[in-house]
């Protein structure tokens, strides 16, 4: 592990806009004071101090979407979630330096979400460039599998919306099948997102992963569906 990573982990622990889980088997969140916190059904009152809809960015990496949504959607509360603390560090630091208060980060496994959020507490989920898990034997780990859709259903409003952006044709086709198989409603899909000239400014945000792979990908794909 590089020294840079260790320094980032130490700083992350002290950030008031970051909550971390350190043990898969004990899914508590720890705040910047080292205290265990439980905000299930209380994120609005206890953390954001308003009743604005809560949007999750899952597998947020460096948090580009969390930061962009916090700026472009001031009447929403945004939570970026990733297992990798050194990546979250960048977005969390940016929010602190720029005094943006409608977004935070949670470092945890997405599998544990139902421990932290209550029924209907989340209104929208963004999945920018999740790992496609190319092997069929790992298809359950794709963030649009039935396994994850079931987790999202435990925490989302009945009409909750999920956005997927990917460069993977495999994940794009798999997601369209998963939407049908799991009784979700397809709202919009583009095999070539940028070719469709999207008007939603958020769709033009380019994450670290997208920038790295843009030249290799034939097209960027986008799917929007309702649970
Ligand atoms: C391919 S990267 C994409 C990162 C970012 N969304 C982007 O576009 O640059 C996938 C990210 O998802 C995170 N991730 C994958 N599976 C996860 C899980 N089960 N729980 C939490 N984070 C996960 C990884 O740590 C990684 O940062």
């Amino acid at each position: 592990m590089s020294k840079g990573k260790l320094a980032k982990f130490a700083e992350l622990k002290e950030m008031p806009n970051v909550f971390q889980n350190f043990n898969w088997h004990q899914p508590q969140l720890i705040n910047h004071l080292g205290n265990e916190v439980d905000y299930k059904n209380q994120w609005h009152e206890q953390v954001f101090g308003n009743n604005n809809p809560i949007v999750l960015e899952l597998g947020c990496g460096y948090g580009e979407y969390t930061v962009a949504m916090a700026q472009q959607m001031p009447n929403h509360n945004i939570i970026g979630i990733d297992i990798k603390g050194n990546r979250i560090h960048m977005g969390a630091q940016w929010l602190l330096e720029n005094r943006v208060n409608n977004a935070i980060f949670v470092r945890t496994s997405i599998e544990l979400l139902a421990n932290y959020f209550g029924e209907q507490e989340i209104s929208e989920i963004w999945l920018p460039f999740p790992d496609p898990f190319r092997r069929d034997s790992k298809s359950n780990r794709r963030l649009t599998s039935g396994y994850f859709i079931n987790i999202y259903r435990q925490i989302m409003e009945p009409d909750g919306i999920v956005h997927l952006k990917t460069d993977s044709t495999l994940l794009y086709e798999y997601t369209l099948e998963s939407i049908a198989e799991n009784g979700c409603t397809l709202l919009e899909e583009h095999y070539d997102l940028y070719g469709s000239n999207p008007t939603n400014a958020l769709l033009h945000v380019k994450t670290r992963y997208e920038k790295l792979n843009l030249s290799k990908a034939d097209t960027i794909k986008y799917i929007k569906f309702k649970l």
Side-chain angles (χ1 to χ4, degrees):
M1 188 186 296
S2 71
K3 202 173 173 191
K5 260 191 191 176
L6 286 176
K8 282 180 187 169
F9 289 151
E11 283 178 18
L12 204 67
K13 277 190 179 173
E14 317 249 297
M15 291 186 180
N17 58 353
V18 176
F19 302 90
Q20 304 195 66
N21 168 251
F22 296 103
N23 185 344
W24 171 279
H25 299 290
Q26 292 177 321
Q28 302 95 340
L29 292 180
I30 308 296
N31 71 6
H32 66 296
L33 301 173
N35 297 328
E36 194 180 310
V37 291
D38 180 3
Y39 295 132
K40 190 166 180 174
N41 292 310
Q42 297 177 68
W43 288 90
H44 285 108
E45 299 82 3
Q46 301 271 350
V47 177
F48 294 108
N50 62 49
N51 216 17
N52 294 337
I54 298 177
V55 180
L56 302 184
E57 181 195 3
L58 302 183
C60 66
Y62 295 86
E64 292 92 341
Y65 261 87
T66 296
V67 163
M69 288 194 279
Q71 292 172 285
Q72 294 181 29
M73 299 160 67
N75 295 325
H76 288 70
N77 302 313
I78 320 296
I79 305 180
I81 295 178
D82 202 288
I83 195 69
K84 297 205 172 144
N86 58 312
R87 296 190 178 173
I88 279 179
H89 180 278
M90 180 180 275
Q93 193 172 44
W94 189 94
L95 293 176
L96 288 177
E97 283 171 4
N98 291 279
R99 298 177 191 212
V100 176
N101 299 320
N102 64 328
I104 59 154
F105 285 92
V106 173
R107 179 186 177 194
T108 188
S109 295
I110 295 159
E111 285 84 341
L112 299 179
L113 287 188
N115 291 284
Y116 309 126
F117 300 99
E119 275 180 41
Q120 304 193 20
E121 207 165 13
I122 304 302
S123 67
E124 205 171 313
I125 287 178
W126 281 76
L127 307 172
F129 299 90
D131 298 311
F133 291 104
R134 292 177 201 289
R135 283 208 224 139
D136 274 354
S137 59
K138 295 203 166 174
S139 62
N140 238 9
R141 296 183 65 186
R142 296 175 189 147
L143 293 188
T144 50
S145 68
Y147 172 75
F148 282 102
I149 284 175
N150 185 39
I151 292 175
Y152 307 155
R153 282 190 166 131
Q154 292 174 54
I155 61 171
M156 281 188 94
E157 294 169 359
D159 278 345
I161 286 178
V162 181
H163 306 259
L164 168 75
K165 217 175 151 190
T166 182
D167 59 350
S168 162
T169 302
L170 180 139
L171 186 61
Y172 166 80
E173 287 173 351
Y174 172 86
T175 300
L176 291 175
E177 279 170 27
S178 183
I179 287 169
E181 274 171 18
N182 290 287
C184 303
T185 308
L186 179 66
L187 298 175
E188 197 177 327
E189 58 104 356
H190 298 286
Y191 183 80
D192 179 4
L193 173 66
Y194 298 129
S196 74
N197 294 320
T199 50
N200 180 351
L202 271 181
L203 291 173
H204 291 275
V205 172
K206 296 200 175 46
T207 65
R208 172 85 59 114
Y209 183 91
E210 178 171 356
K211 281 183 196 153
L212 279 175
N213 287 277
L214 203 51
S215 55
K216 290 183 231 153
D218 49 358
T219 60
I220 300 300
K221 297 119 183 81
Y222 169 69
I223 297 178
K224 177 177 172 182
F225 64 98
K226 207 162 65 168
L227 288 184

